[in-house]
């Protein structure tokens, strides 16, 4: 099942279901007006939504329209919580070198995770207004999951069963602000402006072989200003999403619609490239002895697209964004 | 103006206005069903709500009912963002000693702030389910503000003008989990379970002398299991709320209803006592050479009430909560 949210001027947008080829869509208004409403009533709406999806794919709906991801918001334009991990340890270890910070204790055995703002997500083609190029503007390609309700203290296995949707994420970061916020111990705040999402959220079964072991088994292809930047694979994630959700729910319950992110997709193989600039910079420092790549400038564009191992486009659609001055 | 939220079984509850003596209340349904709705339409609803408040105080409403804070949720049971600072530097400096962490860089000139979960707040008399006594269960008495929309990059002066409501907060903390999360640099997550609020949110003008220089000029009286614990004064806050909001909005806009907290109220004078256990413990260590006070046990109760400088009860009502096992 493929779900997206049309921008209709409201805060939560309008829920639509999208055909398998992402060619057309149909409003789901008769079932649920918004995705956050569908999350709250999932047991009641899941089947009707799936049936509508099937009917759309079979050409059996009369009010289908051309699907235009440029008219989409994030699948959940706002959500109860946004909890982002750093579950690709290769990335984390490289970043420690980049930030010149002491090793994070138990980094390989206990997930690290920050709480991000979840009230103002960006859609896949939204411009990204930011205050200053001096802040070290960076993209971060990630995968994530949207959860149903999770009980406090859920096991990783139970938590994995709470995954309802899989999403593709661009977690914007301001690298010049990160090290100070890490040193305070209070975590990222100014370093994490609004996060963006690809248009289409899908149920795990929709991914077929692309969802296994609680991980998204796909490459995330990243381009910066039209140039290939990397295509690391999601299968190398060191913690699976059930482990990440359980970590988040250690001392709180999660309400339906909460989103948990993987952190930047990152592979040990240098051939995979990177899904964020900061990682490329530290690799340059290590491999070449000097940093050659700067961060983004206003007007720069980033494009992200997930692809299956056999090269087919993933079902999430494309993230394609341009950074602009907020002033 | 005094606003509260009655538990009617819905996620956002029902907006009510409360009389000055907190003796009676009246539903505001005809103006706004919920406080979060009122926040979104503040320019339209502020005056009708104030008029209803005035009519209630004058005994001119026919459908008033006895105000029972035990039937109340947090004023905003869920909000777009919950951003909590540590703006009483005395507390922060003591906590550095407690956690034995290196000094936070620029702590006296740049606010520190973490992003908390904002989807599942507790009401003033709600029980507090937590996983384990071994986590170091602690209360934290704070003041906070509910903001209107704040533009990215707002100055502290402009940000102070965005304050719409003042609230009283109990920011539950799990002290055994905090030091590790600080060392990761990703900030508090498991160490911060659901936060609780006193029932009544008030407009700043309602506080009279109790709101000056962007600070709540009141004592926060804290009792643990019926024993006096402290009554530090909010006026000693080193950053004012406009500075805290501007810090939060450095690289993001805040949507209406976002809540910014002061961090634990704390005074230099030892005579003031403390508003959290961790602070008392480090004071014991410094002044007596050993820690004598343990953290909370299941069944323990905490009570918090703000009072004006002349001894009158504050307008927020009481927070009175009991810690229970989540199992």
């Amino acid at each position: 099942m493929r779900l997206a949210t049309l921008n209709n001027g409201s805060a939560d947008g309008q829920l639509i279901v999208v055909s398998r080829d992402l060619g057309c869509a149909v409003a789901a208004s008769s079932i649920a007006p918004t995705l956050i409403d569908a999350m709250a009533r999932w047991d009641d709406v899941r089947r009707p939504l799936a049936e509508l999806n099937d009917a759309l794919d079979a050409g059996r709906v009369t009010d289908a329209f051309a699907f235009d991801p440029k008219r989409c918001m994030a699948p959940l334009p706002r959500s109860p919580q946004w909890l982002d991990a750093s579950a690709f340890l290769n990335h984390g270890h490289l970043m420690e070198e980049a930030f010149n910070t002491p090793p994070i204790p138990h980094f390989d055995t206990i997930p690290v995770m920050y709480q991000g703002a979840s009230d103002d997500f960006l859609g896949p083609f939204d411009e990204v207004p930011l205050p200053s190029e001096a802040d070290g503007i960076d993209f971060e390609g990630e995968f994530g999951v949207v959860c149903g309700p999770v009980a406090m203290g859920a096991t990783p296995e139970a938590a994995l069963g709470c995954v309802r949707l899989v999403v593709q994420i661009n977690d914007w970061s301001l690298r010049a602000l990160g090290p100070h916020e890490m040193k305070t111990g209070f975590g990222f705040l100014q370093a994490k402006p609004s996060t963006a999402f690809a248009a289409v959220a899908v149920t795990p079964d929709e991914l077929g072989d692309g969802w296994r072991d609680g991980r998204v088994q796909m490459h995330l292809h990243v381009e910066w200003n039209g140039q290939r930047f990397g295509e690391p694979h999601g299968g190398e994630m060191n913690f699976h999403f059930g482990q990440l959700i359980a970590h988040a729910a250690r001392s709180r319950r999660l309400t339906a619609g909460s989103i948990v992110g993987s952190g930047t997709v990152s592979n040990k193989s240098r051939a995979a490239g990177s899904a964020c600039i900061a990682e490329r910079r530290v690799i340059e420092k290590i491999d070449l002895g000097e940093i050659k790549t700067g961060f983004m400038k206003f007007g720069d564009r980033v494009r992200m697209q997930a692809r299956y191992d056999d090269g087919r486009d993933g079902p999430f659609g494309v993230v394609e964004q341009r950074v602009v001055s907020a002033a």
Side-chain angles (χ1 to χ4, degrees), chain A:
Chain A
M1 176 156 53
R2 296 153 303 262
L3 302 168
T5 294
L6 218 53
N7 188 348
N8 64 353
S10 72
D12 294 310
Q14 181 189 3
L15 180 62
I16 58 175
V17 302
V18 183
S19 65
R20 178 155 289 122
D21 64 0
L22 306 190
C24 60
V26 63
S29 323
S30 62
I31 302 167
T34 63
L35 182 52
I36 193 67
D37 175 68
M39 284 292 117
R41 302 187 296 115
W42 191 241
D43 288 343
D44 293 333
V45 304
R46 190 179 54 82
R47 193 178 168 138
L49 286 172
E51 287 169 354
L52 184 61
N53 232 164
D54 290 343
L56 179 69
D57 284 333
R60 285 188 283 106
V61 303
T62 53
D63 44 358
F65 52 87
F67 175 62
D68 180 2
K70 294 187 180 171
R71 291 177 59 209
C72 286
M73 309 169 83
L76 286 167
R78 52 185 185 175
S79 81
Q81 292 195 52
W82 159 229
L83 301 154
D84 198 17
S86 182
F88 290 85
L89 298 187
N90 182 64
H91 173 76
H93 291 307
L94 286 170
M95 292 303 285
E96 279 173 5
E97 292 198 46
F99 282 150
N100 195 23
T101 49
I104 293 175
H106 310 294
F107 184 64
D108 295 1
T109 51
I110 304 176
V112 296
M113 189 176 283
Y114 76 91
Q115 181 123 28
S118 60
D119 63 327
D120 194 24
F121 292 137
L122 298 173
F125 288 85
D126 285 346
E127 291 193 334
V128 185
L130 291 172
S132 169
E133 291 178 343
D135 290 341
I137 302 168
D138 199 358
F139 46 81
E140 283 192 47
E142 308 191 5
F143 294 110
V145 294
V146 182
C147 306
V150 181
M152 189 189 297
T155 63
E157 294 68 33
L160 190 57
C162 298
V163 170
R164 285 181 177 170
L165 299 170
V166 183
V167 292
Q168 181 192 315
I169 298 170
N170 181 10
D171 184 46
W172 287 99
S173 294
L174 301 176
R175 299 299 188 185
L177 308 180
H180 167 75
E181 293 192 323
M182 291 190 84
K183 278 181 204 137
T184 69
F186 278 55
F188 303 119
L189 188 79
Q190 295 180 343
K192 293 291 181 180
S194 288
T195 303
F197 291 74
V200 185
V202 303
T203 46
D205 63 290
E206 186 70 29
L207 295 177
D209 292 343
W211 176 256
R212 199 178 59 247
D213 303 329
R215 295 162 172 88
V216 179
Q217 307 286 346
M218 303 174 79
H219 291 277
L220 187 53
H221 288 253
V222 179
E223 291 178 9
W224 178 14
N225 290 334
Q227 301 292 311
R228 178 260 181 191
F229 200 78
E231 55 288 310
H233 194 271
E236 218 172 290
M237 194 162 87
N238 297 75
F239 301 99
H240 66 67
F241 277 109
Q243 291 171 297
L244 300 184
I245 298 166
H247 181 86
R250 160 80 164 76
S251 59
R252 64 179 69 177
R253 57 185 180 179
L254 306 187
T255 49
S258 293
I259 303 171
V260 175
S262 66
T264 307
V265 180
S266 176
N267 292 168
K268 283 208 180 86
S269 163
R270 292 287 201 262
S274 294
C276 72
I277 299 172
E279 185 178 296
R280 173 183 279 191
R281 284 164 56 92
V282 69
I283 288 172
E284 288 172 346
K285 192 176 168 192
I286 294 166
D287 293 358
L288 309 175
E290 62 171 327
I291 295 169
K292 292 174 174 292
T293 306
F295 289 109
M296 296 181 91
K297 303 289 183 193
F298 293 143
D300 278 11
R301 291 167 292 109
V302 67
R303 185 181 194 278
M304 298 181 181
Q305 167 139 45
R307 293 211 174 92
Y308 291 100
D309 288 350
D310 62 9
R312 282 176 301 133
D313 286 350
F316 309 108
V318 170
V319 167
E320 197 166 324
Q321 298 190 274
R322 194 168 70 101
V323 175
V324 299
S325 169

